[in-house]
Amino acid sequence: MPASPHDASPMPSRGEGWRVLAATTWVQVLCSGAMLLVPTLAPQVAASLGVATGLVGLQVSLLYGVAMLASLQSAVVARRLGGCRASQLAMGLVLGGCLLALVGTLWGLLATTLLLGLAYGLTSPAAAELLIRFTPPERRNLIFSIKQTGVPLGGVLAGLLAPPLASRWDWQAAFLAVGGASLATLVLLQARRVFWDATRDPSARMQRAGSLAVLWHDPSMRWLGATGFCLSAAQLSLLSFAVAYMVESLLLSLVTAGAVVSLVHLAGVSGRLGWGALADRLGASMPVLFGLATVIAGVFLLLALLGGLLPAWLVITLLVVAGGTSVGWNGVYLAEVARRAEPGEVGEATAAVLVLTYMGVLVGPALFSLLLWLTGSYAVGFLLPALTGALAIVCLLRSVGGERGEAMASRAR
């Protein structure tokens, strides 16, 4: 398939590439941080709105559901407007969502959730549009991994910023701070907008199936999307239940469990950087993805079978290892998606696989919760991420087979 005008890349300087990386990572930090404000401040938000804390927790599922639906068309938006303008749009949506939170009503929070979900669905396709043009192929795994550290760093931002502001003023102060940062980012991005969006395609049109058409026409990408579903299910199963598991099964204090979860997030950040650097050194993403899926399946199987027999320090070590792998796969994964995408379709391919990834985010914790409710056993629950890790290996094998088949068919033509 010949390259489209959309793919006509400039010869960027190293400094310009780093500016693109810094901007896309910061946009990811703000979107992720905004999404996590309500879970971080759940008791205060629930008390203020007069609802149960568990009801406020449903906001996360709604957020990811909206982000999943937004991903269907977000690549076309990024392609039509340009990655920089789409990032500005995401910042505008975050700003609007944060302002609506200041209303202080349940309906206002619902509107906030919808806008933040739309913003989150825009960020990765918009970033992919820019990074694929301004990043040398030999550094692409590391660069995409650095950008993906914006997700856990957003959690760090919410955890460090929101509680002190809520204690000094009220829970809405945290939304005001993030909204102000989003406004400043939107304005600053304007300085590079013309250059960064030089290859935008104003003629791009939305399709009925949106970005899912990429999965329909490309079996290897479809299996790669299924891999994202499996790995994200494992990731969110860990992050959703780690604290409860340590408090209820290991009998750790809430403060200690919170500190361990911070280590899990830190391992995820370190993993994203380390696995990206390793993939670049190897010159291939797939061996790293195979290794990560294997470790994910193994570590959760150990937690399921031996978690109740091992000393607490060893279980904590396994949880941190799980963080480094099941939270650390995203950057290498998105770099592989970008590598396989057809010219001019990087944003579409990214958005398409993210639809399946968000499905894993929704399905994984829900199934874990169901298993826990039926059996009362975290050991049984950990069998779920062990299974999805093993299924990810199968999906990767099918994806590699599909790519080889397409290459042979192409040569035959």
Side-chain angles (χ1 to χ4, degrees):
M1 178 178 178
S4 66
H6 176 72
D7 243 12
S9 300
M11 295 298 293
S13 65
R14 174 173 291 189
E16 196 67 32
W18 286 114
R19 279 190 285 272
V20 169
L21 175 61
T24 53
T25 303
W26 178 241
V27 168
Q28 186 73 69
V29 168
L30 287 178
C31 282
S32 300
M35 288 183 67
L36 293 170
L37 287 178
V38 170
T40 302
L41 300 172
Q44 294 96 323
V45 174
S48 173
L49 301 180
V51 298
T53 303
L55 182 61
V56 173
L58 293 176
Q59 188 243 8
V60 175
S61 295
L62 180 58
L63 268 170
Y64 276 103
V66 173
M68 179 183 70
L69 294 176
S71 291
L72 291 172
Q73 302 292 348
S74 60
V76 177
V77 173
R79 191 170 178 181
R80 183 182 177 88
L81 301 181
C84 186
R85 181 66 89 202
S87 297
Q88 288 180 296
L89 177 58
M91 290 291 90
L93 289 168
V94 171
L95 172 61
C98 289
L99 291 177
L100 284 170
L102 303 183
V103 175
T105 66
L106 194 58
W107 288 109
L109 186 61
L110 176 62
T112 294
T113 299
L114 296 176
L115 290 184
L116 293 182
L118 290 173
Y120 197 77
L122 276 174
T123 53
S124 288
E129 285 286 320
L130 294 172
L131 291 174
I132 199 68
R133 291 172 47 230
F134 289 91
T135 301
E138 66 272 12
R139 294 208 306 270
R140 200 161 282 163
N141 287 286
L142 178 59
I143 294 300
F144 272 77
S145 295
I146 292 174
K147 180 264 172 186
Q148 282 302 110
T149 62
V151 177
L153 288 177
V156 173
L157 175 69
L160 293 178
L161 173 75
L165 289 176
S167 298
R168 186 171 180 84
W169 289 286
D170 58 33
W171 63 269
Q172 291 151 310
F175 281 93
L176 188 60
V178 173
S182 300
L183 176 60
T185 302
L186 188 158
V187 172
L188 290 173
L189 285 173
Q190 184 62 28
R192 307 305 297 166
R193 191 257 163 176
V194 174
F195 179 45
W196 289 359
D197 289 348
T199 59
R200 73 186 185 92
D201 182 8
S203 65
R205 293 289 182 267
M206 293 185 180
Q207 301 175 10
R208 182 176 299 177
S211 299
L212 291 180
V214 174
L215 303 182
W216 180 261
H217 297 300
D218 187 344
S220 69
M221 193 68 76
R222 188 159 63 242
W223 283 108
L224 200 56
T227 301
F229 174 92
C230 294
L231 295 180
S232 64
Q235 176 180 337
L236 267 292
S237 293
L238 171 67
L239 296 181
S240 299
F241 293 95
V243 170
Y245 168 67
M246 286 185 282
V247 171
E248 296 180 7
S249 293
L250 302 184
L251 303 180
L252 301 180
S253 70
L254 184 60
V255 173
T256 302
V260 173
V261 167
S262 296
L263 287 177
V264 170
H265 279 289
L266 182 60
V269 173
S270 302
R272 292 184 188 210
L273 297 176
W275 306 133
L278 176 60
D280 281 339
R281 178 173 286 274
L282 295 175
S285 306
M286 293 303 286
V288 177
L289 289 173
F290 273 112
L292 289 174
T294 301
V295 174
I296 288 169
V299 73
F300 281 112
L301 185 61
L302 286 174
L303 285 169
L305 299 180
L306 302 177
L309 304 175
L310 298 174
W313 68 267
L314 189 51
V315 175
I316 290 172
T317 300
L318 289 174
L319 290 173
V320 173
V321 172
T325 51
S326 66
V327 182
W329 57 275
N330 314 65
V332 176
Y333 174 77
L334 289 179
E336 178 64 17
V337 171
R339 182 189 71 79
R340 294 197 191 191
E342 294 285 349
E345 291 188 353
V346 174
E348 282 87 344
T350 301
V353 299
L354 285 177
V355 171
L356 297 183
T357 299
Y358 292 145
M359 286 184 182
V361 169
L362 295 173
V363 171
L367 287 180
F368 195 111
S369 182
L370 178 62
L371 289 173
L372 188 60
W373 178 69
L374 291 174
T375 67
S377 170
Y378 284 96
V380 175
F382 281 130
L383 288 175
L384 174 66
L387 176 62
T388 60
L391 288 175
I393 298 173
V394 176
C395 293
L396 287 169
L397 288 170
R398 297 297 297 269
S399 180
V400 170
E403 187 182 30
R404 288 175 179 168
E406 291 167 13
M408 292 176 63
S410 178
R411 285 195 295 269
R413 288 195 296 267

